[in-house]
Structure formats: C-alpha cells, structure tokens
C-alpha cells in the first residue's frame, strides 16, 4: 500500500497538533500575575546589581511539557493499537460491524434542528441525503411543534441565486424538488417555518453535482487465490482516478466487510474489481448481499474537489459461493505497512515527543 507511512504520519501529526493546540490554549488563559524578565534586566524595585528571574516560567514549563508528552504518547499508542488490528486484514477488505456508521451510511444527512420557545420538541429540517447526483430528486422533511406552513427555497451558497421554491401547507410537511442539471454544487435549503405564534428560519447546506461515472452491473463473482472477486461494469463520463466502495452483508443483513478498490479509468465502458479476503467471510455463509455502492472520482488537485457518480445497482445478491474455493492464507502486511506500525510504536514509547 503506497504512501501508507506518510498517511499514518499525517494522521498522528493531526492528533498531536490537536493536543498541542489544546495545551497551548490552557496555558495562555492562565493569568500571569508576575512580571516577565526574559532579557535579564533588573526588575524595578530591586536593589541595584540584583537580578531576579521570574520563578513561574521556570517551574510551569516542565510540568506542562511532561503532561503534554504523556498525552501525545497515549494518543500515538491508541492509533498504533488500532492500526495493528487493521493490519490483520488487507486494506481493500476490512471487517464491518453495525457500529461503523460512517461506512454503513457514508451519505447520511444529519438533521438541522432549532429550539422552539415554549416547547420541548425542536424544529427539525432533514434531507434524504447529504450528497445528490443528477438526476436525483431532493427530498425534504420538516417536523416540529404546531407547524402551520413551511416555505422552502434552494439557493446557491456562493451567489445567493435562487433556483427553486415551494410552499408546504399541511402535514406531513415533506418537500420535493426535481433534480436539475443547472443546480450548482454548493446548495443550501432555506426553510421559513411558520409556527402557531412565531416564524423560524432554518438553513441546511448540502451538495448537488453532475455524475462522473455510473455503476451499471455486476459482471461476475468468482474465487481467485485468497479472495472472492466481484467484477463490476461502469460507464465513465469523466476520466480520472476512481475509488469504488461497497459493503458486504450476510443474507440476513449482518455486516461482514467493507470493500475498497482504486483504479485509473478512461472515458467510456470500464470495469473495476472489489476483493473480499477469505478472513472477513464466514465458512458456513454461501449467500451474501452487496450494497452501499459509492463511486468517487478522486480530487486531482486542490483546485478541483472530488466528484461522485451513481449506481443503477442498489443491492446485488451473491448466491452459493464456495468458501472452500479460497486459499486460506493469512494476510502479510507490506513493508510500508510494517514501517508505519513501527513509526507509531516509536511515537508511543518516546517520552520526549
């Protein structure tokens, strides 16, 4: 796995900087009641020839440094443990549990809520997802106490141009905007909600983009060495480096694995493969479900953000797959992955961070 060392180093650096910034803030908020004398100049009020060094700075720094070092070491140790557990499986096929909300619902929209005076029930505005891809429709749901009327507007975040509007007069207060090709990427939903005794504005931001690729079909599922291969057909409209993700479940919906693949694709009809390592599968499970497809054109530069496509497949059923057809060999971490792990361990054990 290329550049793993740099990725993990960056992750730990972010954690360490977070701790450092927090420690710095705590130190700066403490009042300094004693005069500073960093230039070795005699403090006014002392006898000539007597130089007094402020004791606060000498004693406070070592204590803060030790505390910060311990926090950084603990943070690095936590990341090292997590990474060591992940290295038991290949990066393209990681175990999935019901607690991995970011993988199970990567496009979830968290409702925007507002407190309503005189009521325990908040006003809530919720979209069906955070990221839409043309020609998907935008679905909105508004809930709250004593709703009388809801005015909804779609506005460009950057230019404040209004693209669509609608008014909801009765319950259920559910809005619907037809997907339009001219919608900008950065959109906001402005909801003016009329309650029994007041009017409350609520703003929710989301994304709407043109498709860069589309998952068309599953070409086939077959064993190859230690992996179950799932080959998919795609229609690519914008060439680039793509990342494909999907989740594997048992036939009754229990999470098994999160599968990831990355490949450079040209325009037109293309194919990509997802691989499920034998270690994330179950010997007695021959029927499985594949869903949660996400196709992403990765950002080629800071000036061009990542873009997403859509999938004509919502769920694909894998039938009668023979677990015994796979070579059951343990995954061996690459030299780069081992180097990253040693780097994390060194950070965790270094008392002079």
């Amino acid at each position: 796995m290329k550049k793993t060392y740099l990725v993990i180093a960056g992750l730990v650096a972010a954690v360490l900087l977070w701790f450092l910034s927090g420690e710095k803030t705590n130190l700066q908020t403490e009042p300094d009641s004693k005069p500073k004398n960093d230039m070795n100049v005699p403090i006014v009020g002392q006898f000539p020839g007597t130089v007094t060094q402020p004791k606060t700075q000498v004693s406070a720094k070592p204590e803060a440094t030790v505390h910060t070092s311990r926090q950084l070491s603990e943070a690095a140790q936590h990341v090292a443990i997590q990474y060591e557990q992940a290295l038991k499986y290949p990066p393209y096929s990681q175990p999935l549990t019901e607690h991995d909300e970011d993988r199970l619902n990567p496009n979830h929209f968290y409702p925007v809520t507002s407190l309503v005076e005189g009521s325990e029930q908040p006003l809530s505005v919720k979209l069906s997802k955070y990221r839409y891809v043309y020609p998907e429709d935008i679905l909105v749901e508004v809930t709250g106490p004593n709703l009388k009327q809801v005015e909804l507007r779609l506005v460009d975040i950057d230019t404040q141009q209004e693209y669509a509007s609608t008014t909801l007069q009765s319950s259920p207060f559910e809005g619907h905007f037809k997907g339009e090709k001219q919608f900008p990427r950065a959109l906001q939903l402005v909801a003016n909600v009329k309650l029994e005794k007041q009017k409350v504005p609520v703003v929710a931001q989301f994304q709407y983009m043109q498709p860069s690729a589309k998952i068309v079909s599953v070409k086939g599922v077959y064993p190859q060495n230690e992996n179950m291969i799932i080959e998919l057909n795609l229609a690519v409209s914008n060439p680039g480096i793509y990342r494909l993700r999907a989740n594997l479940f048992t036939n009754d919906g229990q999470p098994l694995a999160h599968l990831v693949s990355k490949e450079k694709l040209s325009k037109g009809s293309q194919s990509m493969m997802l691989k499920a390592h034998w270690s994330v599968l179950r010997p007695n499970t021959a029927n499985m479900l594949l869903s949660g497809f996400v196709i992403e054109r990765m950002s080629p530069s800071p000036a061009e953000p990542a873009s997403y496509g859509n999938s004509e497949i919502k769920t694909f059923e894998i039938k009668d797959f023979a677990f015994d057809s796979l070579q059951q060999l343990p995954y061996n971490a690459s030299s780069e992955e081992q180097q990253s792990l040693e780097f994390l361990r060194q950070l965790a054990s270094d008392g002079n961070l």
Side-chain angles (χ1 to χ4, degrees):
M1 189 168 58
K2 288 186 177 182
K3 300 183 180 178
T4 302
Y5 181 86
L6 293 177
V7 172
I8 298 299
L11 174 62
V12 175
V15 174
L16 303 188
L17 286 173
W18 181 84
F19 277 104
L20 282 173
S21 63
E23 191 68 24
K24 183 177 180 182
T25 302
N26 291 337
L27 289 175
Q28 289 179 338
T29 54
E30 293 177 1
D32 188 0
S33 58
K34 298 197 177 183
K36 297 182 179 180
N37 193 22
D38 296 333
M39 303 297 293
N40 288 335
V41 177
I43 297 176
V44 176
Q46 302 292 330
F47 290 104
T50 303
V51 177
T52 302
Q53 297 293 341
K55 297 180 180 180
T56 303
Q57 295 181 5
V58 175
S59 59
K61 283 187 177 180
E63 181 180 353
T65 302
V66 170
H67 179 62
T68 302
S69 178
R70 183 168 59 250
Q71 287 183 311
L72 299 180
S73 179
E74 291 174 355
Q77 184 178 16
H78 176 74
V79 176
I81 293 173
Q82 295 295 320
Y83 187 58
E84 185 175 13
Q85 290 295 320
L87 286 184
K88 293 180 179 179
Y89 307 90
Y92 58 80
S93 176
Q94 289 284 308
L96 183 68
T97 72
E98 60 184 7
H99 303 295
D100 296 323
E101 187 66 25
D102 57 331
R103 292 178 172 181
L104 292 171
N105 297 294
N107 199 15
H108 179 71
F109 182 88
Y110 292 92
V112 179
T113 60
S114 177
L115 296 178
V116 177
E117 185 179 355
S119 175
E120 295 182 357
Q121 181 185 1
L123 176 64
S124 175
V125 175
K126 181 181 179 180
L127 282 79
S128 55
K129 59 180 69 177
Y130 170 71
R131 183 180 60 251
Y132 292 88
V133 178
Y134 177 80
E136 292 177 333
D137 293 344
I138 301 167
L139 305 180
V140 185
E141 180 184 6
V142 182
T143 59
N146 300 317
L147 296 181
K148 300 300 181 183
Q149 180 179 288
V150 178
E151 298 174 357
L152 300 175
R153 295 188 298 123
L154 292 183
V155 179
D156 186 331
I157 292 179
D158 298 323
T159 66
Q160 292 300 299
Q161 178 182 345
E162 182 178 313
Y163 280 85
S165 64
T166 187
T167 300
L168 310 179
Q169 302 282 2
S170 60
S171 179
F173 289 87
E174 297 176 352
H176 172 272
F177 292 97
K178 182 176 175 56
E180 299 290 346
K181 198 167 186 177
Q182 69 268 23
F183 283 166
R185 181 187 179 103
L187 272 173
Q188 63 183 7
L189 174 75
V190 180
N192 289 308
V193 184
K194 185 178 181 181
L195 305 177
E196 189 172 0
K197 296 182 179 179
Q198 56 184 310
K199 196 171 186 179
V200 181
V202 180
V203 177
Q205 298 184 350
F206 63 102
Q207 293 185 346
Y208 200 97
M209 60 191 69
Q210 301 304 310
S212 54
K214 178 167 55 177
I215 302 172
V216 178
S217 63
V218 175
K219 186 176 182 179
V221 179
Y222 53 89
Q224 185 180 84
N225 300 325
E226 69 273 22
N227 296 305
M228 177 178 71
I229 305 297
I230 307 165
E231 190 171 356
L232 297 100
N233 294 320
L234 293 87
V236 179
S237 55
N238 192 5
I241 298 177
Y242 278 84
R243 178 165 55 190
L244 173 64
R245 290 175 285 169
N247 295 321
L248 188 65
F249 300 85
T250 62
N251 201 38
D252 59 356
Q254 297 179 27
L256 281 177
H258 180 70
L259 311 180
V260 183
S261 177
K262 187 167 65 173
E263 191 172 339
K264 186 176 182 179
L265 300 179
S266 302
K267 186 175 181 178
S269 179
Q270 299 289 312
S271 64
M272 289 186 73
M273 292 189 301
L274 292 171
K275 298 187 293 184
H277 194 254
W278 71 268
S279 58
V280 300
L281 303 179
R282 297 180 183 178
N284 57 349
T285 302
N287 298 329
M288 291 165 279
L289 300 174
L290 191 68
S291 64
F293 296 94
V294 177
I295 182 68
E296 171 193 2
R297 182 180 182 271
M298 302 180 71
S299 172
S301 69
E304 185 178 351
S307 58
Y308 292 81
N310 44 30
S311 176
E312 293 183 354
I313 314 167
K314 300 307 177 185
T315 300
F316 178 79
E317 186 176 359
I318 300 172
K319 297 181 179 180
D320 300 324
F321 183 83
F323 179 83
D324 293 338
S325 63
L326 301 177
Q327 299 177 12
Q328 298 174 31
L329 302 175
Y331 172 70
N332 293 319
S334 66
S335 58
E336 290 86 355
E337 291 169 333
Q338 291 290 352
Q339 187 179 17
S340 299
L341 181 59
E342 290 304 316
F343 169 75
L344 291 172
R345 286 171 173 169
Q346 181 61 35
L347 285 179
S349 62
D350 190 353
N352 298 315
L353 287 171

